[in-house]
Amino acid sequence: MHRRHTVVDSPYGPLTLVATDGVLSGLYMTEQRHRPPQETFGERDARPFTEALRQLDAYFARRTTVFDLPLNLAGTPFQQRVWQRLLTIPYGRTSSYGQLARDLGAPNASRAVGLANGRNPVSIIVPCHRVVGAAGALTGYGGGLERKRRLLDFESGRDGAAGPPPGALF
């Protein structure tokens, strides 16, 4: 297993991107809960991240709403199922922990869905920020509730900037 990382600025603070064997395996915010130790990220090298950085730049500039990147997500089978389901939540929309549990065929597993959501290793790209409480309340986010609110406001156009790009899927 060969790991590399880079750190880039974003509207939400510095982001650390990690690649395992050349494939994106982590995207962490500063002070993120469940962030692995820095020494596990490998040598600093931006080369494996050219496409991820291009797509993140397009996302933050409102030129795209969908990421198309290979991902290397290490987790339990249940976590993998939750993370794959997160990828289907459209830009500008939210889903609840309970709805995700029902979608996964485990209607009583909303707490387990929340725990898996919190362990998502590739925030923003795997949009765990789009998951809210049953009544729409902002609950739990590894990057902090203020960042979650800002990301949701950004995607919905409530941040005062222009809305999503023309033709964006909702």
Side-chain angles (χ1 to χ4, degrees), residues 10-66:
S10 83
Y12 305 94
L15 301 176
T16 300
L17 285 78
V18 179
T20 303
D21 297 327
V23 179
L24 187 66
S25 60
L27 191 158
Y28 303 102
M29 299 175 185
T30 56
E31 301 173 20
Q32 181 169 334
R33 192 175 353 149
H34 306 300
R35 179 186 167 113
Q38 184 74 24
E39 59 270 14
T40 67
F41 294 160
E43 181 181 328
R44 191 165 181 164
D45 179 359
R47 288 176 293 177
F49 306 100
T50 303
E51 184 59 19
L53 294 174
R54 187 191 69 72
Q55 290 187 34
L56 281 166
D57 181 59
Y59 169 82
F60 292 132
R62 297 184 193 271
R63 292 189 311 268
T64 191
T65 60
V66 178

Side-chain angles (χ1 to χ4, degrees), residues 5-130:
H5 81 281
T6 194
V7 179
V8 297
D9 288 327
S10 83
Y12 305 94
L15 301 176
T16 300
L17 285 78
V18 179
T20 303
D21 297 327
V23 179
L24 187 66
S25 60
L27 191 158
Y28 303 102
M29 299 175 185
T30 56
E31 301 173 20
Q32 181 169 334
R33 192 175 353 149
H34 306 300
R35 179 186 167 113
Q38 184 74 24
E39 59 270 14
T40 67
F41 294 160
E43 181 181 328
R44 191 165 181 164
D45 179 359
R47 288 176 293 177
F49 306 100
T50 303
E51 184 59 19
L53 294 174
R54 187 191 69 72
Q55 290 187 34
L56 281 166
D57 181 59
Y59 169 82
F60 292 132
R62 297 184 193 271
R63 292 189 311 268
T64 191
T65 60
V66 178
F67 292 96
D68 182 22
L69 294 166
L71 301 172
N72 182 352
L73 305 175
T76 68
F78 184 76
Q79 288 172 331
Q80 296 279 342
R81 289 179 55 216
V82 170
W83 300 335
Q84 288 304 310
R85 176 60 183 92
L86 294 176
L87 290 167
T88 69
I89 302 171
Y91 179 97
R93 294 268 178 96
T94 59
S95 185
S96 71
Y97 297 100
Q99 183 60 55
L100 288 175
R102 288 187 293 279
D103 292 349
L104 293 169
N108 297 319
S110 59
R111 183 164 165 66
V113 165
L115 292 172
N117 196 53
R119 293 281 184 172
N120 170 20
V122 183
S123 61
I124 300 174
I125 292 172
V126 177
C128 52
H129 61 278
R130 296 179 189 157

